């Protein structure tokens, strides 16, 4: 098994300051030179992630508009609408873009860029769905945009090519095995509290999602990176670690969606969205630091400004998502029998199911007589 220095030696890494200096002096030559290929991949990953998140927000608003239109017409189910299916297709394309972005840029950067989807969704809902602009939307959007700029500027720029041998080496490293052991213990404790003890607090559910999301980020970046490496350089799909990571990715995504759906049933979306974004981003950053060692060699100022950008994005998403307008429930078209004034013994209006008059015309006559005697 190769050691860490061998892997790092195969991929030349240069500092972010040197990369910026080369790009400023001669942008064309720097972009096309082999030594700055990482910068091009870095920018490509950012662009793909931003476009993917914008497509996701557009798809969600298209599906929302389709639901509203179908509810007004009240004729056919929503899944018969071509507009709804176009939203589903756009969401698939956006998620595919996010998946591809992990193969070009660090996971600790791609995950926080999910705030772009929240910002774009707020803008689209105001422009096209005619929702009211609130002061918290403006302040939250400004903070989220500022945080995104800090993330892109101070995130780790250096990245290595993800190969099967590199993933194998990272997977058996002692710090990842210790992290995985702690994560499994925490997951079992939280699952015991949630399933056996019946603790239905939102933090418990979202922590379960976050622990699964950590494995999802690790496996998604591994699978995406190995596919990218197979297309651009050397085939990586022949190694068993690729299929191990593929299984982990599918399983963690499935259980993550399961717990998210349960959270959406028990709690309001204005609570689930910001908490899920914060927990998912934090778990992705920790996974990138521990498994892929993305913060290795990063300056202290860069780390501080990166974390500050994450904090601004968290606050911005919280301000945008909180107190969003809720869907009104349909008004009841009936009055409970026990609420009718002047009615007594209403529990005896409906005959017993075991009697011969149950469900017959005689039962209706008995109900009418009972109503006359009670007046």
């Amino acid at each position: 098994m190769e050691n860490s220095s061998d892997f790092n030696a195969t991929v030349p890494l240069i500092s972010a300051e040197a990369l910026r200096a080369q790009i400023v002096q001669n942008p064309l030559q720097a972009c096309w030179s082999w030594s700055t290929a990482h910068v091009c991949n870095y920018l490509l990953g950012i662009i793909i992630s931003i476009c993917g998140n914008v497509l996701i927000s557009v798809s969600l608003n298209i599906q929302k508009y389709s639901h509203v239109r179908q509810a007004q017409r009240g004729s056919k189910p929503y899944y018969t609408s071509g507009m709804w299916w176009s939203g589903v297709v756009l969401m698939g394309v956006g998620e595919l873009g996010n998946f591809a972005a992990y193969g070009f840029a660090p996971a600790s950067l791609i995950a926080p860029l999910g705030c772009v989807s929240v910002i774009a969704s707020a803008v689209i809902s105001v422009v096209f769905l005619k929702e009211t602009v609130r002061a918290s939307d403006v302040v939250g959007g400004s903070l989220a945009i500022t945080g995104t700029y800090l993330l892109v500027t101070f995130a780790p720029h250096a990245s290595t090519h993800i190969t099967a041998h590199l993933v194998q080496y990272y997977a058996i490293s002692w710090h990842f095995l210790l992290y995985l052991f702690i994560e499994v213990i925490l997951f079992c404790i939280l699952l015991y509290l949630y399933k056996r003890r019946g603790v239905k607090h939102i933090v418990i559910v979202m922590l379960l999602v976050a622990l699964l999301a950590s494995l999802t980020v690790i496996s998604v970046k591994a699978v995406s990176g190995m596919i990218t490496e197979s297309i651009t350089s050397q085939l990586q799909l022949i190694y068993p670690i690729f299929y191990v990571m593929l299984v982990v990715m599918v399983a963690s995504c499935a259980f993550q969606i399961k717990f998210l759906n349960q959270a959406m049933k028990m709690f309001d979306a204005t609570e689930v969205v910001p908490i899920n974004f914060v927990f998912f981003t934090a778990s992705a950053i920790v996974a990138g630091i521990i498994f892929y060692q993305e913060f290795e060699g990063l300056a202290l100022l860069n780390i501080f400004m990166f974390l500050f950008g994450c904090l601004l994005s968290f606050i911005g998403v919280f301000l945008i998502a909180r107190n969003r307008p809720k869907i009104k429930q349909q008004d009841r078209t009936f009055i409970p029998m026990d609420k009718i004034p002047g009615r007594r013994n209403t529990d005896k209006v409906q005959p017993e199911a075991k009697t011969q008059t149950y469900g017959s015309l005689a039962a209706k006559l008995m109900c009418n007589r009972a109503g006359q005697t009670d007046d």
Side-chain angles (χ1 to χ4, degrees):
M1 179 64 65
E2 302 180 41
N3 55 27
S4 178
S5 59
D6 295 334
F7 285 120
N8 294 330
T10 59
V11 182
L13 302 179
I14 55 180
S15 64
E17 290 77 8
L19 292 176
R20 292 194 188 98
Q22 292 180 11
I23 294 176
V24 170
Q25 291 177 1
N26 195 338
L28 294 178
Q29 182 180 0
C31 189
W32 283 101
S33 63
W34 186 85
S35 61
T36 57
H38 294 294
V39 178
C40 298
N41 291 339
Y42 175 81
L43 295 177
L44 182 60
I46 294 174
I47 294 173
I48 292 176
S49 178
I50 291 176
C51 293
N53 285 306
V54 171
L55 285 179
I56 290 174
S57 62
V58 171
S59 69
L60 290 175
N61 282 275
I62 288 177
Q63 294 179 60
K64 180 178 178 180
Y65 177 76
S66 176
H67 283 296
V68 172
R69 192 177 67 170
Q70 292 296 113
Q72 291 175 351
R73 294 180 178 180
S75 55
K76 297 180 180 180
Y78 64 91
Y79 52 81
T80 60
S81 172
M83 180 176 294
W84 183 82
W85 281 107
S86 64
V88 173
V89 172
L90 282 179
M91 177 172 285
V93 175
E95 293 293 351
L96 184 62
N98 273 334
F99 173 79
Y102 279 99
F104 296 98
S108 56
L109 173 63
I110 298 301
L113 287 179
C115 66
V116 174
S117 177
V118 180
I119 300 172
S121 181
V123 173
I124 293 172
S125 62
V126 170
V127 175
F128 294 99
L129 298 181
K130 307 302 180 183
E131 292 187 2
T132 305
V133 182
R134 305 170 303 164
S136 59
D137 294 335
V138 178
V139 176
S142 302
L143 290 177
I145 292 174
T146 305
T148 303
Y149 173 77
L150 293 177
L151 289 173
V152 174
T153 304
F154 294 98
H157 289 62
S159 180
T160 57
H161 291 290
I162 302 299
T163 63
H165 293 294
L166 184 63
V167 174
Q168 288 178 359
Y169 171 76
Y170 285 155
I172 62 175
S173 59
W174 68 267
H175 44 79
F176 172 70
L177 293 178
L178 178 61
Y179 169 75
L180 184 61
F181 175 76
I182 296 174
E183 186 174 84
V184 170
I185 295 298
L186 288 176
F187 186 85
C188 292
I189 294 174
L190 292 173
L191 190 63
Y192 173 78
L193 294 175
Y194 178 68
K195 292 291 187 181
R196 297 296 183 182
R197 293 295 182 179
V199 181
K200 304 298 182 181
H201 197 276
I202 187 171
V203 174
I204 299 295
V205 183
M206 301 317 296
L207 280 176
L208 288 170
V209 176
L211 292 176
L212 290 170
S214 179
L215 295 178
T216 302
V217 169
I218 291 174
S219 57
V220 165
K221 183 170 178 60
V223 172
S224 178
M226 283 188 279
I227 291 177
T228 303
E229 185 70 15
S230 299
I231 295 174
T232 58
S233 180
Q234 186 179 3
L235 183 64
Q236 303 292 316
L237 308 185
I238 59 176
Y239 296 98
I241 190 64
F242 172 80
Y243 300 97
V244 172
M245 287 295 175
L246 184 63
V247 171
V248 172
M249 181 185 70
V250 174
S252 60
C253 284
F255 285 102
Q256 188 178 340
I257 293 173
K258 175 185 177 181
F259 285 113
L260 268 178
N261 288 332
Q262 293 179 3
M264 292 297 291
K265 290 180 180 179
M266 293 186 294
F267 309 100
D268 192 75
T270 57
E271 298 175 317
V272 176
V273 170
I275 294 178
N276 179 57
F277 174 73
V278 172
F279 284 6
F280 173 81
T281 303
S283 65
I285 293 174
V286 172
I289 293 174
I290 294 179
F291 191 87
Y292 293 104
Q293 305 175 12
E294 293 177 345
F295 278 23
E296 186 177 3
L298 196 64
L300 184 61
L301 177 61
N302 287 48
I303 297 175
F304 174 78
M305 294 303 295
F306 176 83
L307 296 178
F308 182 66
C310 290
L311 178 62
L312 291 181
S313 299
F314 294 162
I315 298 174
V317 170
F318 174 77
L319 291 176
I320 294 174
R322 75 182 186 97
N323 297 331
R324 300 300 299 179
K326 302 177 182 179
I327 300 175
K328 295 182 179 180
Q329 296 180 353
Q330 297 180 352
D331 297 333
R332 294 183 176 180
T333 57
F334 65 91
I335 302 176
M337 291 293 295
D338 57 347
K339 300 299 181 181
I340 300 178
R343 296 284 182 178
R344 299 187 304 273
N345 300 328
T346 53
D347 57 330
K348 297 181 180 180
V349 171
Q350 176 66 34
E352 296 292 335
K354 297 181 179 180
T355 60
Q356 297 179 355
T357 58
Y358 177 76
S360 62
L361 180 59
K364 297 180 181 179
L365 294 176
M366 289 176 62
C367 291
N368 293 334
R369 288 179 182 176
Q372 292 174 3
T373 57
D374 290 340
D375 289 337

